[in-house]
Amino acid sequence: MLSEDRLRGIVAEVRRRGSASVSRLSVDFAVSEATIRRDLDQLAESGTLRRVRGGATAIRGSVRPEADPRPFADVATAASSAKAGIAARAATLVEDGSVVALDIGTSVAALCPQLRDRELTVVTASLAVVQALADAPGIDLVVLGGLLRPSYQSMVGTLTESALRQVRVDVAFLGAAGVRPDGCVLDSTPSEVPVKRGLLDIAGRSYLLVDHEKFPGTGFLEIAPAARFAGIVTDRPLPPSAIDLPEGEELEVLLP
């Protein structure tokens, strides 16, 4: 992760919670505690955060009244019918015998029931995907190691990113927190953005699985331009204002 992205992520995290410890931030951003301390010192010097022993606090008036991110199990139940439709359409893009990468999002995990009876190799950093496909007779699972992010049942960090660079896949399916009208695909978890970028790098083609609420959705970290994807699989037709790509760029929108 670029240091600028990490700094923005730290600020957002501290403001959201009101305070954060060095150890917690180290886990969230998959870097050493020494790196976090330097980041906090820099942010304190710029007046963005207040440095305290063991961490940092938000400066009064800057705390954002947001709830903690919901755990994977809670998010997975939201808009379940939309995710099921998206997953069914995405499954038609998978050829038997291919190597498929599945991202850590709940929309992507919904694809697992559609793949259980297929002959595939699946590469993933999602423990939810592993649990769903572990006993599927025709699927070989390649599980990426790394630092466990328990709330979202995912592996993140330098070990995960390094493992990704060792493989190539035919098709990758990714989720996101939002898609801006200019086509920028966004997420809100700094430790997971590098994994998503890594999946794009190793895939012959990639598809974004997002329901209609992700236009524009949320997110402050750029994963990639929408043009990096072969297409978007969503649950409803998009209005013209949803995505206005630069001239010369095209993006296929696939519906259930």
Side-chain angles (χ1 to χ4, degrees):
M1 178 187 299
L2 296 176
S3 60
E4 294 84 358
D5 289 343
R6 188 177 64 250
L7 290 172
R8 285 194 293 268
I10 290 172
V11 171
E13 184 72 4
V14 174
R15 286 179 176 175
R16 181 176 59 79
R17 293 179 178 273
S19 64
S21 68
V22 169
S23 59
R24 178 70 264 173
L25 292 170
S26 174
V27 171
D28 287 345
F29 292 89
V31 295
S32 68
E33 292 190 3
T35 297
I36 293 295
R37 291 189 187 94
R38 288 193 294 270
D39 289 344
L40 293 180
D41 290 342
Q42 179 179 338
L43 292 168
E45 289 174 5
S46 67
T48 307
L49 301 175
R50 179 176 293 109
R51 190 77 162 88
V52 297
R53 182 178 179 84
T57 63
I59 295 174
R60 183 173 298 179
S62 68
V63 178
R64 297 168 59 192
E66 299 178 1
D68 286 345
R70 291 185 296 165
F72 184 95
D74 290 349
V75 179
T77 60
S80 56
S81 61
K83 291 173 182 175
I86 291 169
R89 181 65 178 91
T92 67
L93 303 169
V94 178
E95 298 180 1
D96 285 337
S98 60
V99 182
V100 181
L102 298 183
D103 189 21
I104 56 179
T106 56
S107 293
V108 176
L111 184 54
C112 291
Q114 303 285 338
L115 302 180
R116 280 189 54 86
D117 297 326
R118 306 284 295 274
E119 297 285 338
L120 303 167
T121 297
V122 173
V123 178
T124 189
S126 168
L127 298 187
V129 170
V130 173
Q131 292 167 0
L133 298 179
D135 61 347
I139 291 182
D140 292 327
L141 273 174
V142 178
V143 184
L144 303 171
L147 180 68
L148 175 64
R149 183 178 175 232
S151 64
Y152 226 67
Q153 302 180 34
S154 61
M155 309 303 291
V156 297
T158 56
L159 289 176
T160 313
E161 297 161 39
S162 176
L164 271 174
R165 291 193 290 268
Q166 311 305 312
V167 298
R168 292 292 181 271
V169 303
D170 298 307
V171 59
F173 295 98
L174 284 77
V179 183
R180 286 196 321 229
D182 65 358
C184 182
V185 181
L186 303 171
D187 202 71
S188 299
T189 307
S191 59
E192 292 181 351
V193 169
V195 178
K196 293 176 183 291
R197 292 174 180 165
L199 289 172
L200 284 171
D201 289 340
I202 68 169
R205 54 194 170 96
S206 302
Y207 292 91
L208 184 65
L209 309 188
V210 285
D211 62 53
H212 68 279
E213 294 185 352
K214 299 296 178 64
F215 300 90
T218 59
F220 61 93
L221 293 172
E222 179 177 350
I223 299 170
R228 285 288 306 275
F229 294 86
I232 291 178
V233 187
T234 188
D235 61 317
R236 297 183 187 178
L238 300 180
S241 59
I243 299 184
D244 184 14
L245 295 178
E247 186 176 353
E249 292 187 2
E250 296 181 355
L251 181 67
E252 186 175 17
V253 177
L254 305 171
L255 300 172

